[in-house]
């Protein structure tokens, strides 16, 4: 802590999400004290980008872990390494905020749970497709306000552009990236649990395929999952790396939330052939059809709530169990997936 | 036949689809000679509505079946009775054009197949959500033209407004309506087989629930199915009777066709909060984002093709196997469905 503010440090810049994570935490009022990556080029780019936060380069990871002022460590390291880093961070007495997917195996999850029990530190996860999406946040308010009644089903589409030339080697190896359901599927499962108010669910069907990228044999460019929540709500999602070049953004992410009294559709990053801006929320209730562009109007309350949770040891931003359960279900979906192509 | 034209007759007006079927066949150039329903009120309404076709009321079903001029019998009778009627029609030497779902049990299907083998007559099915939808027809052209490459997945949403006060008693009994996957799910499976070019598929997951209508214990107001085609294409759809009062039409039917080079979205009956007209086609390919309102621009070639098929004994409009396979898969999905609520 410094002057009542959470002091954060950044290590592990393997995924570009580290920028969103840092932006969110810094804008919410944390001091971003240190940055460290073994790749000094990455660190340099990061420091240049975040001059406004006056971040300093740490000599090594130890300097971050041994600094008593540091409360919270942010990382978007390689997915298969996230658990080990997190356990080390928690054992150094600090909270951890990691990019999704939070881990890639159930064995890692077991060790994470033990470390949480022992250290009482937080292992929080950056499920950006809800937490860092104003459409996603707005949908949460509509559901909470009862606009669509009880949630019957959540359906998600998470297409992403591949840009293979920009991807590091680990992105194409299943052991390191974890598989498509674990990787980008984790956003989808988190959204389902959140919108439906489920604490647990079972995987009833999961499938993956590699339709277009035989040059990357360990890649999965398509995946889909069906879940049933413990409260009877249903979930289906598909994810893919098949975004065509003609789309004006990286992916036409959609979420459909069907309730007993209406439904919501999120056109999260583009309103195809209508509007290239993001955060378009459409919904229909008993009164009529509605549309609102919520970009710039809602903000991202998660980050401030997380900092408060770190100070007060509460779980307002997200419960620990929710953060881990979404990760657990995506790993279960991944390991039980049938390969269909 | 009369003057080289197919002569059709109508019997079984239990479902309102009989109007679309008659309209399509009549506009395509058939003579609509007879109409008969045991409910004389239904027949009267029908004759009034179709004055332009100069239809006459038949005394009974036998008059239709025994009329040598009649080539084709149209029916939208109660789903569980469609097979028996169709077999009788084919054994009378006439082709049969029946509303979806074409049958409700596998036992019925077996008898239908035997009757087709024996009589060489057609058992054609009115899968209106593709055949009588200009958006649906236009999507078929886009796929055929290779605009989105090879089809990876078809995803469908088939929500319908219930209006329970307008529904007959048979609609609420599973034995007669066949279950939600068999009933409105049949459209979805037909679209998948058509767009993906699959001749067969397997049901990998199917689920139904009754979330809001406990007053109708045999009703299913939600259902969902995952299929994998023999060519590796995937299909998911959900159907429901949960359309909120505020929607400007009976259901916000959507179809998403994901290909290796792009994707198509059909907003079939409304473009929510944008446009209350139907037949909105959106697609993204390697060149850009596209949108076209195709209402009034495409037509419904199925009906003319069907009449030619009846004359020439060809299968241009739809193969017999395709018509039956969609029905077979929906019955399999229905009988294997898990009840989740």
């Amino acid at each position: 802590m410094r002057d009542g503010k959470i002091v954060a440090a950044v290590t592990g810049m393997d995924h570009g999400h580290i920028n969103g994570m840092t932006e969110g935490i810094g804008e919410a009022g944390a001091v971003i004290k240190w940055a460290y990556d073994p790749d000094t080029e990455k660190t340099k780019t990061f420091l240049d980008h975040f001059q406004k936060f006056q971040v300093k380069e740490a000599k090594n990871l130890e300097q971050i872990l041994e600094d008593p002022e540091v409360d919270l460590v942010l990382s978007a390291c390689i997915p298969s390494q996230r658990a080990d880093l997190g356990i080390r961070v928690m054992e150094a007495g600090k909270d951890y905020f990691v990019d999704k997917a939070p881990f890639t195996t159930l064995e890692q999850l077991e060790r994470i749970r033990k470390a949480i029990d022992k250290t009482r530190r937080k292992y929080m996860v950056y499920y950006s497709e809800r937490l860092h999406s104003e459409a996603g946040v707005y949908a949460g308010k509509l559901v909470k306000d009862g606009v669509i009644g009880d949630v019957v089903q959540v359906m998600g589409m998470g297409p992403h552009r591949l840009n293979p030339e920009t991807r590091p080697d680990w992105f194409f190896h299943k052991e390191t990236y974890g598989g498509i359901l674990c990787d980008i599927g984790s956003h989808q499962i988190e959204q389902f649990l959140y919108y439906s108010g489920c604490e647990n669910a079972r995987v009833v069907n999961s499938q993956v395929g590699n339709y277009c990228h035989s040059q990357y044999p360990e890649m999965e460019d398509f995946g889909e999952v069906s879940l049933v929540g413990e409260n009877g709500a249903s979930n289906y999602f598909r994810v893919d790396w098949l975004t065509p070049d003609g789309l004006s953004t990286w992916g036409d992410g959609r979420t459909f939330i069907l309730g007993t009294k209406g439904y919501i559709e999120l056109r999260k990053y583009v309103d195809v052939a209508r509007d290239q801006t993001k955060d378009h929320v459409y919904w229909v209730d008993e009164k009529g059809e509605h549309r609102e562009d919520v970009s710039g109007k809602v903000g991202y309350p998660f980050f401030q709530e997380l900092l408060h949770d770190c100070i007060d040891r509460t779980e307002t931003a997200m419960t620990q169990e929710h953060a881990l359960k979404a990760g657990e279900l995506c790993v279960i979906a991944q390991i039980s997936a049938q390969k269909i192509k």
Side-chain angles (χ1 to χ4, degrees), chain A:
Chain A
M1 299 278 286
R2 184 191 294 173
D3 305 330
K5 286 182 176 177
I6 289 286
V7 174
V10 173
T11 184
M13 303 171 183
D14 297 284
H15 196 292
H17 274 178
I18 196 63
N19 291 318
M21 297 166 70
T22 305
E23 184 74 27
I25 290 293
E27 287 296 325
V31 176
I32 313 286
K33 183 172 180 182
W34 300 114
Y36 170 72
D37 192 279
D39 179 342
T40 52
E41 275 305 304
K42 281 208 179 79
T43 314
K44 187 175 179 316
T45 307
F46 180 91
L47 295 177
D48 284 351
H49 183 73
F50 285 115
Q51 286 183 19
K52 65 178 172 184
F53 294 142
Q54 301 181 295
V55 193
K56 288 180 291 183
E57 181 170 4
K59 278 182 298 191
N60 49 38
L61 176 59
E62 288 68 28
Q63 188 174 11
I64 289 172
L65 297 182
E66 290 164 11
D67 181 348
E69 204 182 41
V70 170
D71 305 290
L72 178 66
V73 175
L74 278 53
S75 186
C77 63
I78 295 172
S80 59
Q81 300 174 2
R82 289 172 185 171
D84 283 334
L85 176 63
I87 291 165
R88 221 177 138 188
V89 165
M90 291 189 293
E91 287 182 341
K94 298 160 192 334
D95 292 319
Y96 186 51
F97 180 44
V98 68
D99 189 23
K100 67 74 227 170
F103 45 84
T104 57
T105 70
L106 295 177
E107 178 273 332
Q108 291 168 18
L109 172 60
E110 200 181 328
R111 289 194 288 115
I112 291 164
R113 286 198 192 275
K114 279 186 189 153
I116 292 167
D117 279 351
K118 187 172 129 198
T119 65
R120 314 312 297 168
R121 295 297 98 189
K122 291 179 184 294
Y123 194 105
M124 277 293 118
V125 186
Y126 182 61
Y127 293 111
S128 55
E129 292 188 19
R130 182 179 63 86
L131 305 172
H132 225 159
S133 157
E134 291 182 281
V137 173
Y138 194 75
K141 288 185 186 178
L142 291 176
V143 171
K144 201 172 178 182
D145 290 347
V147 168
I148 60 165
D150 296 326
V151 172
V152 170
Q153 204 233 19
V154 179
M155 192 163 131
M157 298 159 80
H160 289 62
R161 182 171 286 129
L162 183 58
N163 287 334
E165 64 286 357
T166 70
R167 302 281 174 180
D169 191 53
W170 63 261
F171 179 86
F172 299 99
H173 294 287
K174 199 158 170 186
E175 191 273 333
T176 40
Y177 84 92
I180 192 171
L181 301 179
C182 186
D183 179 11
I184 52 180
S186 56
H187 292 291
Q188 299 290 332
I189 293 180
E190 194 279 331
Q191 288 174 87
F192 164 60
L193 295 177
Y194 180 75
Y195 293 127
S196 69
C198 272
E199 292 185 2
N200 204 350
R202 63 193 164 85
V203 176
V204 293
N205 186 45
S206 63
Q207 298 174 166
V208 296
N210 186 347
Y211 286 82
C212 299
H213 298 92
S214 55
Q215 69 272 43
Y216 306 115
E218 292 188 37
M219 189 177 173
E220 296 160 349
D221 59 17
F222 178 82
E224 57 185 331
V225 174
S226 286
L227 298 173
V228 177
E230 57 177 8
N231 61 1
S234 164
N235 176 231
Y236 170 82
F237 68 84
R238 76 177 196 199
V239 285
D240 68 72
W241 290 103
L242 301 173
T243 291
D245 288 345
L247 192 77
S248 57
T249 187
W250 58 271
D252 183 7
R254 305 274 190 105
T255 307
F256 296 85
I257 311 171
L258 175 66
T260 52
K261 292 182 179 174
Y263 63 93
I264 301 168
E265 176 184 357
L266 308 180
R267 301 180 190 163
K268 299 179 94 169
Y269 312 112
V270 61
D271 196 347
V272 166
R274 285 280 192 186
D275 196 327
Q276 297 188 358
T277 62
K278 57 186 186 166
D279 296 309
H280 302 265
V281 181
Y282 289 77
W283 72 100
V284 184
D285 56 20
E286 291 174 315
K287 289 176 197 150
E289 302 176 7
H290 314 276
R291 168 167 70 89
E292 193 149 338
D293 300 353
V294 301
S295 184
K297 298 177 186 166
V298 177
Y300 313 105
F302 171 80
F303 299 97
Q304 280 205 327
E305 289 171 359
L306 176 60
L307 296 184
H308 284 297
D309 284 346
C310 290
I311 293 169
D312 303 330
R313 312 316 294 167
T314 48
E315 294 201 314
T316 309
M318 181 181 290
T319 69
Q320 183 61 77
E321 190 49 33
H322 176 90
L324 297 180
K325 183 56 74 180
E328 180 180 356
L329 290 172
C330 79
V331 172
I332 291 171
Q334 186 73 52
I335 58 186
S336 60
Q338 295 292 312
K339 192 162 169 61
I340 56 173
K341 191 86 174 185

